[in-house]
Amino acid sequence: MAYQERGGALELKALVQDRGLCTGCGACAALCPYIYAVLEKVAVIYPCGLGEGSCYRVCPRTPTDLAELDGAVFGKERADHVLGEHSGIYFSRAKDGGVGGRGQYGGTVTALLSFLLARGKIDAALAVRGSGAALPEPVVASTKEDLLACAGSKYSASPGLSLLSRAVREGRRNLAVVGRPCQVTALRKIQRLAKEQSSPRLPLPGGGV
């Protein structure tokens, strides 16, 4: 079956999940009550019957015109197609030993999120918690303690975006997202979808397109 520009849950299952192309980002599960994310797996559990759906449009594995996506979200195409927009590249380490010692590579991400949270720049962060033999799990981190529990790299396809709608329903409007490249692509697609719907709110389950 050839790839197509638009589709619903059945097309998403046939073209992405059944072919082993799903990255487990969790974006579709955040938008559709018929798609569930459990541990590292995401699956369509019931056909909703829609010929076109948000689940298909936000998937990072469905056809994606990155130049068009950049234009829709940022108003211009990215200058660097590998790294995206950035002002510089730096080596860094958190000055707070309690943060730096918990992180994989100096705790920079944890320190930045803690800084933003303490100053009210963000309401919470979508991140991944877990250590040792336990499988990582996505969480909505709203305190420094929550962030510290998420410190360190997780070598797992945790569906972090599956909690996006829940975070929005809880009133989180300024969210930071710690994610893999596929999750960032999915998040940009969600932002584009929200703009098309002329809504400042991110799409919620059942909203459709």
Side-chain angles (χ1 to χ4, degrees), residues 70-141:
D70 287 341
V73 176
F74 299 110
K76 62 178 182 179
E77 187 176 352
R78 69 187 70 184
D80 188 319
H81 284 269
V82 177
L83 297 179
E85 294 294 329
H86 63 280
S87 58
I89 301 175
Y90 305 93
F91 287 102
S92 62
R93 176 178 290 274
K95 292 179 66 176
D96 183 339
V99 174
R102 298 282 290 274
Q104 187 81 12
Y105 299 107
T108 298
V109 173
T110 305
L112 287 173
L113 292 174
S114 298
F115 175 86
L116 293 172
L117 191 61
R119 282 156 181 77
K121 300 297 183 181
I122 61 173
D123 302 321
L126 292 183
V128 177
R129 176 178 61 201
S131 61
L135 280 173
E137 61 174 330
V139 296
V140 180

